[in-house]
């Protein structure tokens, strides 16, 4: 029986796939049907390391390998290295079949023609994913990602220290929070998402320079309330645990995990819109194990594996049929109506400007990068 195995990123090599040729006499008056992907006995998938890898393995990858008698090769890593490898391969025997990407990486890879378009005829569960999320991954009429889990950035707060829980991004400026607000710079994912959320709350968009100027002017007014400028989940957790920060922009699933650990912390989905950070499955253009890649993405898009991942990660998922844990479904905001309120970062505008925005952010708040 084939087994699941982890292989180092730097030593992995990809298998070449022979294209099946059609047999028989061709008719000149009829279009040729696309050749079916060749059958292979493996599939290579890139996933985030640490707890993310543990959760996705336990949620279904181990069982998938056994049930399908296939080698599932897991390559832990991150977007930047995977995107670089896909660019290097340029559709010619890429080192990966399936990769998990954030929305900005999906956008860049699709724009560079490095991804296989996804269709329900190959991945039936695509039709079960929320349309308001899936539409974010359509380019020139083609879908390039299957959305998986949705981390929503909102406001974490210490329930024992905050008298009036926040409900809006603009609540961070309340005098009662003076000296106890932590915000991250745009150089960190949570900081960029907060920046987008604040711009939206002020009635603007990132592509509007005047709106961005307004955001920086507002940030300059936050100096008296700001106590720290965390740049990692560990830093945010420490600030909350110590009580140095009473309110901080953070992701819902991570806050729910802190609650389970016993920390007196609450989470508010801002009424002016939480900002989404999504994990999404893509298939590399020219994937050596394309047939298995289709099957694996379909499996990962199913309600059962998504429910199992949600149980461990405490995030909302994208399949409409997921039945959430009783405790979690009283906390997490999911569903078409909730997802319509999500703020998605305009990465085509933001990515080239992050360095400049980070410098301006430091000048506005007087904090480090």
């Amino acid at each position: 029986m084939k087994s699941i195995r982890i292989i180092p990123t730097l030593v992995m090599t990809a298998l070449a796939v022979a294209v099946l040729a059609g047999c028989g006499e061709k008719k000149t008056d009829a279009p040729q049907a696309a050749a079916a992907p060749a059958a292979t006995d493996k599939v290579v998938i890139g996933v985030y390391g640490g707890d993310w890898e543990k959760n996705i393995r336990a949620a279904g990858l181990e069982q998938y390998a056994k049930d399908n008698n296939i080698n599932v090769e897991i390559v832990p890593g991150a977007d930047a290295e995977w995107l670089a490898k896909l660019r290097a391969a340029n559709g010619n025997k890429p080192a990966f079949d399936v990769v998990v990407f954030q929305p900005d990486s999906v956008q860049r890879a699709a724009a560079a023609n490095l991804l296989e378009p996804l269709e329900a005829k190959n991945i039936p569960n695509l039709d079960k994913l929320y349309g308001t999320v899936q539409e974010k991954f359509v380019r020139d009429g083609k879908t390039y990602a299957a959305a998986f889990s949705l981390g929503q950035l909102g406001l974490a707060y210490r329930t024992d220290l905050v008298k009036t829980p926040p409900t809006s991004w603009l609540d961070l400026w309340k005098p009662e929070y003076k000296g106890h607000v932590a915000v991250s710079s745009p150089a960190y994912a949570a900081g960029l998402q907060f920046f987008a959320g604040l711009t939206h709350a002020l009635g603007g968009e990132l592509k509007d320079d005047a709106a961005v100027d307004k955001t920086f002017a507002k940030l300059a007014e936050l100096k008296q309330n700001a106590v720290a400028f965390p740049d990692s989940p560990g830093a945010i957790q420490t600030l909350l645990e110590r009580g140095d920060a009473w309110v901080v922009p953070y992701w819902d699933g991570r806050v729910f995990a802190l609650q389970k650990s016993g920390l007196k912390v609450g989470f508010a989905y801002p009424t002016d819109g939480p900002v989404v950070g999504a994990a999404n499955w893509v298939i590399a253009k020219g994937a050596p194990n394309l047939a298995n890649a289709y099957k694996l993405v379909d499996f990962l898009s199913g309600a059962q594996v998504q429910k199992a991942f949600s149980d461990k990660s405490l995030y909302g998922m994208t399949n409409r049929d997921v039945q959430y844990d009783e405790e979690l479904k009283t906390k997490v905001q999911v569903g078409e109506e909730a997802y319509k309120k999500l703020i998605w970062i305009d990465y085509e505008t933001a990515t080239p400007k992050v360095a400049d925005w980070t410098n301006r952010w430091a000048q506005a708040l007087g904090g480090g990068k």
Side-chain angles (χ1 to χ4, degrees):
M1 177 174 288
K2 302 295 173 65
S3 62
I4 194 166
R5 52 197 178 101
I6 300 175
I7 60 178
T9 302
L10 296 180
V11 300
M12 190 194 70
T13 59
L15 292 178
V17 175
V19 178
L20 292 180
C23 298
E25 184 177 337
K26 298 179 181 179
K27 295 183 179 180
T28 57
D29 59 345
Q32 293 184 22
T40 61
D41 65 352
K42 66 181 288 188
V43 65
V44 182
I45 180 172
V47 304
Y48 302 127
D51 288 341
W52 212 98
E53 179 191 347
K54 294 177 183 177
N55 291 343
I56 194 61
R57 288 186 57 165
L61 279 182
E62 295 276 3
Q63 194 61 45
Y64 180 84
K66 296 177 181 178
D67 291 346
N68 292 275
N69 193 32
I70 187 174
N71 288 326
V72 178
E73 297 186 355
I74 297 179
V75 185
D79 287 41
E81 61 182 280
W82 294 327
L83 187 55
K85 288 180 180 291
L86 292 184
R87 287 187 186 279
N90 195 28
N92 182 26
K93 303 177 183 178
F96 311 92
D97 299 301
V98 178
V99 175
V100 60
F101 265 164
Q102 292 296 307
D104 57 328
S105 297
V106 176
Q107 179 267 316
R108 281 182 279 179
N113 194 28
L114 301 176
L115 303 179
E116 290 282 348
L118 308 183
E119 299 181 53
K121 68 179 183 180
N122 299 318
I123 306 171
N125 275 319
L126 281 182
D127 285 341
K128 294 293 185 69
L129 305 184
Y130 286 108
T132 193
V133 177
Q134 281 300 105
E135 68 185 16
K136 302 299 181 180
F137 303 112
V138 176
R139 185 183 182 90
D140 298 328
K142 297 180 180 179
T143 300
Y144 287 96
F148 183 62
S149 69
L150 300 179
Q152 300 179 55
L153 189 87
L155 295 165
Y157 61 95
R158 281 288 298 262
T159 56
D160 56 335
L161 300 174
V162 170
K163 294 181 180 179
T164 307
T167 61
S168 163
W169 293 116
L170 299 177
D171 284 347
L172 294 179
W173 280 257
K174 283 186 174 181
E176 63 193 89
Y177 300 154
K178 183 177 180 178
H180 293 289
V181 170
V183 290
S184 306
S185 85
Y188 175 47
L192 181 58
Q193 290 174 18
F194 165 60
F195 188 81
L198 177 58
T199 301
H200 182 270
L202 293 171
E205 299 180 1
L206 294 181
K207 63 183 179 182
D208 183 353
D209 290 341
V212 170
D213 290 342
K214 185 177 180 180
T215 299
F216 280 114
K218 187 66 176 178
L219 281 171
E221 299 172 3
L222 191 63
K223 280 185 180 181
Q224 63 180 359
N225 280 17
V227 66
F229 313 101
D231 60 0
S232 69
I236 291 175
Q237 181 173 335
T238 298
L239 288 167
L240 287 169
E241 288 175 340
R242 291 177 177 175
D244 295 334
W246 295 357
V247 186
V248 56
Y250 207 28
W251 294 290
D252 53 354
R254 288 187 179 271
V255 176
F256 300 150
L258 291 177
Q259 289 175 344
K260 293 189 74 170
S261 73
L263 186 63
K264 296 179 179 179
V265 61
F267 182 82
Y269 291 94
T271 54
D272 29 25
V275 185
V276 68
N280 318 282
W281 301 112
V282 300
I283 296 178
K285 183 180 180 181
N289 305 288
L290 183 58
N292 290 336
Y294 285 144
K295 293 176 183 178
L296 181 56
V297 171
D298 187 58
F299 171 75
L300 295 169
S301 299
Q304 183 175 349
V305 66
Q306 288 204 8
K307 188 261 193 285
F309 187 84
S310 178
D311 286 347
K312 297 179 181 297
S313 68
L314 307 181
Y315 283 122
M317 307 302 292
T318 56
N319 187 299
R320 295 190 301 270
D321 296 334
V322 171
Q323 299 297 312
Y324 293 92
D325 174 85
E326 287 297 320
E327 180 182 0
L328 182 60
K329 72 181 182 181
T330 65
K331 300 177 180 180
V332 66
Q333 290 189 1
V334 298
E336 200 74 67
E337 290 305 311
Y339 291 164
K340 284 180 181 178
K341 300 175 183 177
L342 293 176
I343 298 168
W344 292 75
I345 294 179
D346 174 7
Y347 284 104
E348 290 188 87
T349 294
T351 300
K353 297 183 178 181
V354 166
D356 176 59
W357 287 350
T358 301
N359 289 330
R360 293 182 64 183
W361 180 93
Q363 293 169 6
L365 284 168
K369 299 179 183 180

